[in-house]
Amino acid sequence: MIVYSVLTLVTVLLSLMINRENIKIRYGYSKQQTINGLVLVCLFLALFTVSALRLNVGNDYAQYVEYFHLIRCKLVTETVVPTEPGFNLVCIIIYVLSGFNENYLLMFAVFAAVTLFLFLRAMYRQSEWFFMSFFLFMTLGCYFQTFSTIRYYFALAIAVASIPLVLRKEWIKFIVVILVGATFHKSLLIVIPFYFLAQIRWKSYMLVLAAAFCSTFFFFKDFYMKLFLYIYPTYEETEYLDGGTSIINIVRCVAVLMLALCLFKSHVKNDRKLLFYFYCNLGALVLYTCCSFLPSISRMGYYLNITQILFIPALIKRIENKTVRRVVTGGVIVVAILYFGMFLVTKAPADGLRILPYQTFLYHDMVPILSMVS
């Protein structure tokens, strides 16, 4: 817990130095741009070091070590590997380049590096207030959850990085990026319809029709469950089939939407980017409330409400009254810090995430994986 708290404090303070506004360019490169670049490198190195040094930290760390082992075995046998082909191919390439050594630490480090690079790049390029975006990225647990389900969070980073393509309506590039990303985690495919729907300028009658459609989830649960299992057959007869939702995510979506509604007519309604974020969060709220019976619904909704790290700073920047803006900023910071404390105490050590206690291969040994004990 101390490692995570210190890391968060240091990196958040560092992020205060990044400023993309009022950059005066002289001789092709400004002083502030140099500072921004150096700080981004420091942020990346700090986050990457903690992630890369971890050992058996993350709910499925041992499972991924098993996956890496099976992929290594697939090079010489007909071993069945349950992970997607893109993920398998990258692992095989790393094996070849590293002399076929079964170095799972290198695997985790590579995926951590790429995932962090994509998130930092997305926040720097897309956020209107990098400090607040990065602060939320850390305190809402986004960074720490990359320690688990590494394929999913790699896919999530790709989703966030692809948002500018959606806003520019570069659909072919967007679909190609998503299809490639889906070879690492096929759940990424859902952002194609979700992001398309979120960028539509919804009329009143369209919202009424959408609400009527959403009501069918309450009456035809068996049909939608069968449809889900047809798309994701691996969930059948597993412990994940029970579904469930996240009250905290619902509260977050409601709070963000309420703030957005206060600024809807003056700023959100006619801003394509903010409107996209608004409908993403509205869609996430619908998923959390209407589709709670579906397996891993929180994971699907996260493709939508991850936009909060970009949406909240943008909304705060548009509050014209300075006093109100300071109050809202302070409120967001206090709530985020309280959430972070609750996250470390309750969620981080729990079985669903299990990123505490933090361990490193410098001082600890890996527990035996399934292939070693079977």
Side-chain angles (χ1 to χ4, degrees), residues 122 125-128 159-171 174 195-196 198-201 271-280 307 310:
R125 291 194 171 188
Q126 298 178 47
S127 178
E128 296 185 16
V160 176
S162 72
I163 290 176
L165 298 176
V166 175
L167 297 177
R168 295 195 298 264
K169 293 188 176 182
E170 297 179 7
W171 296 113
F174 169 69
Y195 284 6
F196 176 77
Q199 61 84 42
I200 295 176
R201 288 186 177 273
D271 190 310
R272 179 176 173 79
K273 179 177 66 175
L274 296 189
L275 204 58
F276 173 81
Y277 296 154
F278 178 84
Y279 285 126
C280 276
T307 57
L310 303 172

Side-chain angles (χ1 to χ4, degrees), residues 7 64-65 116 136 273 315 362 365:
L7 176 68
Y64 270 97
V65 175
L116 289 172
L136 294 173
K273 179 177 66 175
L315 289 174
L362 299 175
D365 295 321

